[in-house]
Amino acid sequence: MNLIFFGAPGAGKGTIAKMLKDRENLVHISTGDIFRTAIKNKTELGLKVTSILDKGELVPDELTISLVSERVKEPDCKSGYILDGFPRTLVQAEAWSKEATIDAAVYFDISDDEVVRRLCGRRTCPNCHSIFHVEFNKPKKDGICDVCNSELIIRPDDSNESINNRLKVYHTQTEPLVEYFTKLQKVIVINAVQNSEKVYSDIAGKIK
Ligand code: AMP
């Protein structure tokens, strides 16, 4: 099964993808995590995209599409994958629907106010990419990842200025994908303002 998760930043795509990948034996591919790992490791790709991510802009389509194309060719993707945060533009969506089989595109529906509330308190693990929140999903030990014990960080693009820009970019570039995938009869709309178990079970009930 090949799934696409799309929606505003902070809608819970990463959290639910992590739950679903373990339970359905799918590979979780987060383009954001791929870029952040490249930045951390100071690779050629990382150096190219650092300032783009910091500002909350989008990495060029061509580069992003070829990166995902290469990733899904790896043997672990044979039994299926969840694309978290890709496609994010109409150009990416059109290219991807020509290139790959898409079983469903899950749209995480959430208001801007809720996005801001969530992103302001988000803490992430730079090592294993686990996601926490200072209020709604506290780690067991303050500031420390439950999974791998690394020190949690605030993502540079979770600053107020960058959040506003990411929302603007989301509305102009990514929101049109709802209509695009609706026309392809692939869209599943999920109310993302519920606890993660409920969001998970809503999705699980609709993809089977
Ligand atoms: P995310 O972790 O999904 O919020 O992505 C973090 C950042 O990575 C975004 O703000 C973009 O700068 C970049 N990014 C992730 N996915 C894509 C994509 N499909 N197209 C372009 N840029 C992306």
Side-chain angles (χ1 to χ4, degrees):
M1 180 163 46
N2 298 334
L3 300 175
I4 285 169
F5 279 11
F6 74 111
K13 303 182 294 293
T15 301
I16 305 298
K18 284 183 181 67
M19 293 164 76
L20 199 63
K21 84 164 180 161
D22 291 337
R23 298 178 198 186
E24 300 284 333
N25 196 23
L26 299 169
V27 176
H28 173 204
I29 302 172
S30 156
T31 37
D33 283 347
I34 293 173
F35 293 133
R36 279 184 292 276
T37 302
I39 291 170
K40 193 170 116 194
N41 296 336
K42 297 193 167 65
T43 65
E44 201 183 317
L45 171 70
L47 296 176
K48 226 187 258 180
V49 302
T50 303
S51 71
I52 300 177
L53 264 81
D54 283 352
K55 282 186 267 180
E57 303 288 343
L58 293 183
V59 174
D61 287 327
E62 209 179 317
L63 175 59
T64 309
I65 294 163
S66 69
L67 199 98
V68 180
S69 298
E70 288 308 308
R71 178 64 187 90
V72 300
K73 280 183 201 142
E74 287 175 32
D76 61 337
C77 290
K78 280 231 162 65
S79 59
Y81 50 79
I82 306 164
L83 295 178
D84 161 12
F86 175 90
R88 229 175 174 104
T89 65
L90 274 176
V91 172
Q92 292 178 13
E94 279 162 6
W96 199 249
S97 48
K98 279 187 203 132
E99 178 159 340
T101 309
I102 300 167
D103 292 298
V106 181
Y107 171 57
F108 286 64
D109 193 12
I110 187 171
S111 68
D112 285 7
D113 285 351
E114 182 65 17
V115 166
V116 172
R117 212 161 69 96
R118 287 185 182 188
L119 293 187
C120 285
R122 181 159 76 172
R123 300 291 181 270
T124 54
C125 175
N127 181 45
C128 73
H129 310 297
S130 293
I131 304 161
F132 301 88
H133 191 280
V134 291
E135 219 182 300
F136 317 122
N137 179 25
K138 292 183 187 172
K140 292 194 186 90
K141 243 193 274 166
D142 217 17
I144 302 294
C145 176
D146 288 356
V147 181
C148 72
N149 256 349
S150 301
E151 212 165 305
L152 299 176
I153 58 157
I154 300 175
R155 276 172 44 172
D157 59 346
D158 280 347
S159 69
N160 277 352
E161 197 186 330
S162 188
I163 290 171
N164 287 336
N165 195 39
R166 283 157 74 204
L167 272 171
K168 214 185 301 161
V169 168
Y170 160 72
H171 286 298
T172 53
Q173 309 256 61
T174 309
E175 214 168 20
L177 300 194
V178 179
E179 195 186 332
Y180 179 79
F181 285 121
T182 302
K183 277 190 188 143
L184 291 186
Q185 299 185 324
K186 296 285 182 196
V187 87
I188 293 175
V189 178
I190 292 293
N191 173 10
V193 193
Q194 312 180 87
N195 70 52
S196 47
E197 280 298 336
K198 178 74 173 81
V199 174
Y200 170 80
S201 66
D202 281 1
I203 295 173
K206 287 186 178 172
I207 56 177
K208 291 221 164 119

